[in-house]
Amino acid sequence: MVKIDNIELPDFPLLLAPMEDVSDPPFRALCKENGADVVYTEFISSEGLIRDAAKSVIKLDIYEKERPVGIQIFGANIDSMLRSVEIVEQTKPDIIDINFGCPVKKVVSKGAGAGILKNIDLMVKLTEAMVKHTSLPITVKTRLGWDHDSIRIVEVAERLQDVGCKAISIHGRTRAQMYKGNADWRPIAEVKNNPRMHIPVFGNGDVDSPEKAMEMRDSYGLDGCMIGRAAIGYPWFFNEVKHYFKTGEHLPKPSIAERVQVARRHLQMSIDWKGEHLGVVETRRHYTNYFKGIPHFKEHRLKLVTSDDSIDVFAALNEIESKFGDSIIPEIS
């Protein structure tokens, strides 16, 4: 069993990573149904929250069926972060997570996200202030360092733990790498193997198969795995990993009809939650993975990602279902 503060999780829990415009309530619900042990919201700007910006506030929506659920916030100003903690507390999440890893320029340029990796003292000070400001467990998601020459993640993780951080998720790349190259899990294992560490250490980056998840668990000895891109448009991934852990065998892939049914539900939940236009537009990014590997699919994909009217998108999904039925995509790489 793994514990984040008093939250009990199964051995080697699988966490849905916070992803901008991806980890919204409809998608989190699908991932939860399909085996995710902890889900996180999209990352939320502390400055946006304290200004009551609609785009930030709507991301605070959480639901009982998601628990345990973490709300992730980012920022570099201690006062703003503390005020945002007070706002977040009112929605009663199980966890507040601090984003110290987002590599996007508009975030980094303000010293937030991975930008704070250039100021470790501020990173620690901000974490400590937030821990003291709330009774909710504070966790952190970060990267190995700003660049290859400034990797101090073993020291950083220990210092964050010492000021009260209850778990740390580490993406195995530096900010300089963005999402290029391969994630390096060895420094994450060094954090875990530090005899002074006693909080859970979760790995993140490039886990795109059950075998990779098992490697992270068995070869690197980490406490759990945070899944990001592999789950986009493929919420079945969590159960596939768990089945592989139990049996050493792969679960059969969902049929095209099953994929259509889940994509249809996903779209409807998105429309119900954020309205027709945004519901249609923001579900598009999932279709490539929902139907990845279907031969001669371009015409159908174009309809899914260019139609602005949900009636047309649902019609396109119906067309896919009637054309391909219960067939299985031969091989999804």
Side-chain angles (χ1 to χ4, degrees):
M1 184 179 68
V2 172
K3 290 182 76 172
I4 299 177
D5 198 25
N6 293 319
I7 301 167
E8 295 183 356
L9 302 171
D11 285 341
F12 204 79
L14 304 178
L15 295 70
L16 172 67
M19 291 178 281
E20 176 74 352
D21 294 332
V22 173
S23 305
D24 57 16
F27 185 58
R28 297 198 304 265
L30 291 172
C31 290
K32 196 76 180 183
E33 286 174 22
N34 284 279
D37 296 301
V38 183
V39 295
Y40 288 87
T41 63
E42 305 167 70
F43 74 153
I44 304 173
S45 162
S46 57
E47 301 295 337
L49 277 184
I50 63 178
R51 289 198 315 272
D52 201 29
K55 186 171 170 56
S56 296
V57 172
I58 194 173
K59 293 178 185 177
L60 290 174
D61 286 358
I62 58 174
Y63 300 90
E64 283 303 311
K65 62 188 175 186
E66 300 182 71
R67 296 190 185 279
V69 57
I71 289 179
Q72 191 190 68
I73 54 177
F74 73 93
N77 179 283
I78 291 180
D79 181 59
S80 299
M81 288 289 273
L82 295 183
R83 288 166 65 193
S84 68
V85 164
E86 294 166 8
I87 297 167
V88 166
E89 280 180 321
Q90 295 169 24
T91 65
K92 298 182 170 57
D94 301 286
I95 298 163
I96 297 178
D97 191 72
I98 315 174
N99 183 308
F100 289 146
C102 177
V104 176
K105 188 176 179 181
K106 69 178 182 181
V107 173
V108 168
S109 63
K110 295 172 182 169
I116 208 165
L117 288 164
K118 292 198 281 189
N119 189 345
I120 302 301
D121 288 344
L122 176 59
M123 186 182 189
V124 174
K125 188 177 177 184
L126 197 156
T127 304
E128 182 176 25
M130 289 177 66
V131 167
K132 289 177 176 176
H133 204 65
T134 182
S135 59
L136 289 169
I138 296 289
T139 62
V140 161
K141 183 171 191 286
T142 189
R143 287 184 168 231
L144 299 180
W146 176 255
D147 55 26
H148 180 74
D149 297 327
S150 61
I151 294 176
R152 295 161 50 195
I153 191 63
V154 175
E155 173 206 338
V156 169
E158 189 176 308
R159 289 179 66 185
L160 292 172
Q161 172 186 264
D162 289 350
V163 296
C165 174
K166 299 299 184 187
I168 185 166
S169 301
I170 304 169
H171 182 102
R173 290 181 176 86
T174 63
R175 191 274 167 174
Q177 285 179 274
M178 300 293 285
Y179 292 99
K180 295 173 184 168
N182 295 320
D184 185 358
W185 300 342
R186 291 171 299 177
I188 312 175
E190 287 176 33
V191 173
K192 175 61 190 170
N193 292 330
N194 176 0
R196 286 206 67 248
M197 289 297 288
H198 54 79
I199 62 171
V201 178
F202 302 125
N204 174 232
D206 294 356
V207 177
D208 55 10
S209 68
E211 288 88 348
K212 288 266 191 77
M214 183 170 273
E215 184 184 4
M216 186 175 269
R217 183 188 72 175
D218 296 348
S219 300
Y220 290 82
L222 303 183
D223 292 304
C225 176
M226 184 173 271
I227 310 290
R229 288 176 288 175
I232 298 174
Y234 200 78
W236 300 275
F237 187 76
F238 300 93
N239 271 339
E240 288 182 1
V241 170
K242 290 185 170 181
H243 183 80
Y244 187 77
F245 281 178
K246 280 181 187 170
T247 67
E249 297 175 356
H250 287 271
L251 265 178
K253 294 290 182 184
S255 67
I256 295 173
E258 288 175 278
R259 291 163 186 265
V260 170
Q261 287 161 19
V262 173
R264 194 185 280 130
R265 269 189 70 210
H266 192 166
L267 175 59
Q268 188 60 58
M269 287 193 294
S270 292
I271 291 168
D272 292 345
W273 182 61
K274 58 184 105 173
E276 167 84 12
H277 176 69
L278 279 180
V280 169
V281 170
E282 293 189 0
T283 311
R284 287 174 181 169
R285 71 191 68 240
H286 293 272
Y287 295 132
T288 297
N289 278 2
Y290 271 128
F291 304 111
K292 186 177 180 181
I294 301 180
H296 315 300
F297 193 73
K298 186 176 179 182
E299 173 197 344
H300 301 286
R301 189 182 66 79
L302 278 174
K303 287 180 185 175
L304 292 173
V305 301
T306 58
S307 301
D308 290 325
D309 190 318
S310 64
I311 293 173
D312 295 332
V313 182
F314 282 121
L317 289 169
N318 293 339
E319 199 176 286
I320 295 163
E321 188 174 32
S322 62
K323 180 174 180 178
F324 297 99
D326 290 324
S327 56
I328 304 290
I329 298 172
E331 186 61 44
I332 298 180
S333 57

